[in-house]
Amino acid sequence: MALRSHYFNLCCFFVMIILFGSCSAQLSSYYYAKTCPKALYIIKTAVLGAVAKESRMGASLLRLHFHDCFVNGCDASVLLDDDDTSNFTGEKSAAPNANSLRGFEVIDSIKSKLETACPGVVSCADILAVAARDSVATLGGPTWTVELGRRDSTTASFSNANTDLASPLMNLDELISVFSKKGFTEKEMVALSGSHTTGKARCLLFRNRIYNETNIDSEFAKSIQSNCPSSGGGDNLSPLDDGSPVIFDNSYFKNLVNNKGLLHSDQALFNGGSMDSQVATYSENPITFYVDFANAMVKMGNLSVLTGTDGEIRTNCRKVN
């Protein structure tokens, strides 16, 4: 039995090396089973309530997880507020996040409930990961097992938030580069871009596309222009997926095939380039998209996580302990 146990542990070691490059990311789907058994229920219930109150919140919580993980890993650094007293500038005020990221109050509420149920146990980083999964499932999308045990950072990076996140103005080669730097394949990039099947964007981010770009359906452009004038109205919102604005499905990819991508970076995925066939596949096969998206989300949730004694478990997600 001892030999068998040793062999099993050795196999696990090599599997971890293959998947993560090291054994530092010791996450587990049962991490809170004993220390906070109601953690997942508390998060799910709160997400269901928030999405029922405002359907767009599902997309906002998903986006929070993205913007957290792409900047120094999934460590809840995106939740830290600026602190004038210590000259600390967080990621919220970086260009891709300012006046854009939403859902912080929902995370605060979840954290408060978890601190009441089991003080100092559940990390803000894990809350973001689970809330993103539950948001997608609530909106009709796939679900997946979230590995848990992340710890929270004690700092953030304003500069990295300005450089590491994809821009809605990027071309295909730029998008591929941004995702490749985080270890994602081109196929995984397309799958993760499918998160734009839900949520909204501000007029200032797509104004140039609907007035000046040629690879756009004319009727679609005209319909969007009614809510996004050629000047002014920069904060006016339009759905990223005109086909089914709220539901998490593969309509986003159908839009791209028909030149109805809202953002320049969306349509860049289907514009006579190397990703056209992958977009077409997802437009025709929702299950394939769901499976690939879920797998890519698991991979993203493992980016540079803090475990063990690294970082901390914040009692307030907006500031370090």
Side-chain angles (χ1 to χ4, degrees):
M1 288 298 292
L3 182 61
R4 181 181 298 175
S5 175
H6 173 74
Y7 178 73
F8 175 79
N9 290 334
L10 191 61
C11 288
C12 288
F13 174 82
F14 284 113
V15 168
M16 289 294 292
I17 291 293
I18 292 171
L19 291 177
F20 303 111
S22 74
C23 285
S24 60
Q26 298 287 356
L27 303 180
S28 167
S29 57
Y30 303 103
Y31 190 80
Y32 298 114
K34 292 183 178 179
T35 56
C36 193
K38 292 185 178 181
L40 295 182
Y41 173 79
I42 290 172
I43 298 173
K44 183 177 182 178
T45 302
V47 169
L48 285 170
V51 175
K53 185 178 180 180
E54 182 197 2
S55 58
R56 183 187 173 204
M57 188 53 68
S60 297
L61 294 174
L62 173 60
R63 190 161 178 257
L64 268 182
H65 184 44
F66 264 83
H67 282 230
D68 179 38
C69 293
F70 264 68
V71 181
N72 295 353
C74 308
D75 59 2
S77 59
V78 74
L79 302 178
L80 290 173
D81 284 338
D82 295 348
D83 188 347
D84 295 334
T85 61
S86 61
N87 294 318
F88 171 78
T89 302
E91 296 165 16
K92 290 180 179 179
S93 54
N97 298 334
N99 302 314
S100 178
L101 286 183
R102 309 169 68 250
F104 298 110
E105 294 78 11
V106 175
I107 300 300
D108 290 339
S109 176
I110 294 172
K111 180 61 174 174
S112 177
K113 290 180 173 66
L114 288 169
E115 285 299 305
T116 298
C118 36
V121 174
V122 183
S123 70
C124 301
D126 276 348
I127 293 173
L128 286 176
V130 176
R133 187 270 311 273
D134 291 348
S135 292
V136 171
T138 300
L139 296 174
T143 189
W144 56 90
T145 299
V146 177
E147 298 290 295
L148 301 166
R150 298 168 190 78
R151 288 168 65 84
D152 301 323
S153 67
T154 55
T155 187
S157 178
F158 174 82
S159 60
N160 287 352
N162 276 314
T163 59
D164 291 5
L165 292 163
S167 160
L169 306 179
M170 285 182 171
N171 294 318
L172 180 58
D173 58 342
E174 295 171 310
L175 291 169
I176 290 173
S177 176
V178 167
F179 279 81
S180 176
K181 288 177 181 177
K182 300 300 176 181
F184 292 106
T185 65
E186 295 177 9
K187 178 180 177 181
E188 289 168 336
M189 175 200 68
V190 176
L192 289 174
S193 297
S195 62
H196 283 184
T197 189
T198 185
K200 297 180 179 181
R202 292 180 293 164
C203 168
L204 62 87
L205 299 177
F206 56 82
R207 176 184 282 125
N208 183 67
R209 169 158 170 74
I210 63 173
Y211 283 99
N212 299 316
E213 296 187 4
T214 57
N215 61 339
I216 186 169
D217 179 85
S218 58
E219 291 301 315
F220 170 70
K222 188 180 298 183
S223 69
I224 301 298
Q225 288 170 6
S226 64
N227 192 46
C228 181
S230 57
S231 64
D235 288 333
N236 292 356
L237 298 172
S238 289
L240 287 161
D241 176 2
D242 191 57
S244 53
V246 175
I247 300 172
F248 194 100
D249 55 16
N250 69 329
S251 176
Y252 166 80
F253 297 105
K254 295 179 180 179
N255 292 340
L256 299 186
V257 170
N258 292 303
N259 286 335
K260 294 182 179 180
L262 183 67
L263 304 177
H264 177 87
S265 59
D266 289 331
Q267 198 59 56
L269 300 178
F270 190 88
N271 191 38
S274 59
M275 294 295 97
D276 282 14
S277 60
Q278 192 60 53
V279 170
T281 294
Y282 289 153
S283 74
E284 298 165 358
N285 300 282
I287 300 303
T288 300
F289 164 52
Y290 281 4
V291 171
D292 289 351
F293 180 83
N295 288 335
M297 286 297 293
V298 171
K299 181 174 178 177
M300 187 181 76
N302 286 326
L303 288 177
S304 302
V305 296
L306 300 173
T307 58
T309 57
D310 293 333
E312 64 181 16
I313 305 297
R314 288 186 220 138
T315 56
N316 180 341
C317 291
R318 293 176 178 264
K319 60 183 182 179
V320 298
N321 294 341

